[in-house]
Amino acid sequence: MRYILKKVLSMALTLFVVSLCVFLAFSLIPGDPVTRMFGTEATPELIAQYREKMGLNDPVLVRFFRWFTAFWQGDMGTSYHYKIPVAGMLAEKIPITFTLAVMSFVIMVVVSIPLGIYTAKYENGLIDHIISAINQIIMAIPPFFSGILLTFFFGVILKIFTPGGFVSYTKDVHAFLKYLILPAFAIALPKAAMATKLLRGSVIEEAGKDYTRTAYSRGNTTNAVLYLHVLKNAMIPVITFMGMALADMVAGSIVIEQVFGIPGISRILLTSINNRDYPVVEAIIMGIAIMVLVINLLVDIVYRIIDPRIEVNE
């Protein structure tokens, strides 16, 4: 409990620093949101009037603490461009991006763990060489290009889904998940290839240790040794990687959403950056930062559950 409390306090400090950096960055970069709002109709009087009305003439630290306090009270502000609450805008889009990231993570785990164990078990065999070669190819292809290839193959050639199509989860959950499968594969495949390679090496390393030989000497089968003795220790570095991969998938989903035409937070983010709609951009970045920190905390907790002897960041 003390360890978790210490980690939560560390997260709070990290979030404060991240929020300060985000706010200062968008306050200092060129571009005035009021000028962007009115375009060619902007006059000096109108700009001055709205900057005062929106509080943009206040000192930057005053604006930061006003925004920071409101954010943690659940008020993400109002969009400069759309003139509606940011929380309401994101509430419709976050489930889409979150579902895509979770599906990608599940695919990575389901694919990489069996393959990693299998290739380690039959090290240097024909299947091991074939899987290792495929892994190298997949790791070399960026997710957005994998998405283009998958769209072309399954959408244009096989015609089993409509490129650019999408069905909202509020209308049909099954169709919604169906349209997310290919984007999820595009995100998951490179991570699955890396996790497979990492788990293979970790299993091989653990299999050469004394406790493994002891397990064999007691009459255990190869599968029993691998799954009951080796896998637990071999998974420790892989869990670290998977935790980082999940955090990366949340951010990576934004790019893939554009490739597949999925109306997640990517469209709002890109439009908001272009329109200097800072409340929306700051809320999205803070949301991603919170998810990454929570994932890291969960990874550290899982670490300790697997092996209580491990001292994590102590």
Side-chain angles (χ1 to χ4, degrees):
M1 193 64 191
R2 183 181 173 188
Y3 169 76
I4 295 176
L5 181 61
K6 184 178 177 182
K7 296 294 293 183
V8 171
L9 290 175
S10 175
M11 282 176 55
L13 178 61
T14 304
L15 280 174
F16 177 79
V17 174
V18 169
S19 60
L20 181 60
C21 293
V22 169
F23 194 88
L24 291 178
F26 285 107
S27 299
L28 297 176
I29 61 174
D32 181 41
V34 179
T35 306
R36 194 75 186 178
M37 282 170 56
F38 292 99
T40 55
E41 298 178 359
T43 63
E45 294 76 17
L46 191 61
I47 292 173
Q49 179 187 345
Y50 269 82
R51 285 188 64 83
E52 185 65 28
K53 183 179 178 182
M54 295 162 66
L56 296 176
N57 291 330
D58 295 336
V60 64
L61 286 181
V62 172
R63 286 189 283 131
F64 166 71
F65 281 106
R66 186 167 60 212
W67 168 78
F68 186 78
T69 305
F71 183 87
W72 291 107
Q73 290 176 345
D75 180 7
M76 299 180 183
T78 302
S79 166
Y80 294 162
H81 183 71
Y82 297 101
K83 309 289 191 304
I84 58 176
V86 175
M89 289 175 60
L90 299 184
E92 298 175 4
K93 306 298 181 184
I94 285 177
I96 300 172
T97 302
F98 183 74
T99 304
L100 179 58
V102 170
M103 285 180 69
S104 306
F105 183 75
V106 171
I107 291 171
M108 177 187 70
V109 172
V110 170
V111 171
S112 64
I113 291 180
L115 283 182
I117 296 173
Y118 184 86
T119 51
K121 183 178 179 181
Y122 298 101
E123 181 186 5
N124 294 324
L126 177 62
I127 300 298
D128 179 29
H129 287 300
I130 292 173
I131 292 175
S132 296
I134 294 173
N135 272 352
Q136 290 290 345
I137 295 171
I138 292 175
M139 283 190 288
I141 300 175
F144 75 88
F145 190 64
S146 299
I148 293 172
L149 294 178
L150 289 171
T151 302
F152 179 74
F153 185 73
F154 290 100
V156 178
I157 296 179
L158 298 182
K159 299 184 185 303
I160 60 176
F161 91 108
T162 305
F166 180 77
V167 176
S168 172
Y169 60 93
T170 58
K171 295 181 179 177
D172 187 339
V173 174
H174 180 263
F176 167 69
L177 295 175
K178 179 182 173 184
Y179 273 103
L180 291 187
I181 288 178
L182 285 182
F185 264 102
I187 298 171
L189 285 179
K191 304 297 183 189
M194 294 177 197
T196 300
K197 184 176 182 180
L198 184 60
L199 181 58
R200 175 186 179 276
S202 185
V203 169
I204 291 172
E205 182 182 347
E206 291 294 326
K209 293 185 176 178
D210 290 341
Y211 75 87
T212 307
R213 286 190 282 272
T214 302
Y216 276 117
S217 68
R218 291 175 178 171
N220 291 301
T221 64
T222 301
N223 284 337
V225 172
L226 282 176
Y227 288 98
L228 300 180
H229 299 275
V230 172
L231 184 59
K232 177 182 173 182
N233 293 326
M235 281 298 294
I236 291 173
V238 182
I239 287 173
T240 304
F241 171 80
M242 287 183 172
M244 293 187 293
L246 177 57
D248 192 40
M249 284 171 177
V250 175
S253 299
I254 293 172
V255 178
I256 291 299
E257 283 176 6
Q258 286 298 105
V259 174
F260 283 88
I262 298 172
I265 63 173
S266 64
R267 289 185 183 175
I268 292 180
L269 179 61
L270 296 176
T271 304
S272 300
I273 291 174
N274 189 45
N275 291 325
R276 301 293 190 271
D277 200 349
Y278 298 146
V280 179
V281 179
E282 289 160 354
I284 292 174
I285 293 176
M286 285 298 294
I288 293 174
I290 291 170
M291 278 192 280
V292 169
L293 291 173
V294 169
I295 290 168
N296 285 333
L297 174 64
L298 294 177
V299 168
D300 288 346
I301 293 173
V302 171
Y303 247 61
R304 285 215 160 181
I305 293 173
I306 291 178
D307 190 347
R309 296 169 302 173
I310 294 176
E311 297 291 329
V312 184
N313 295 331
E314 294 280 13

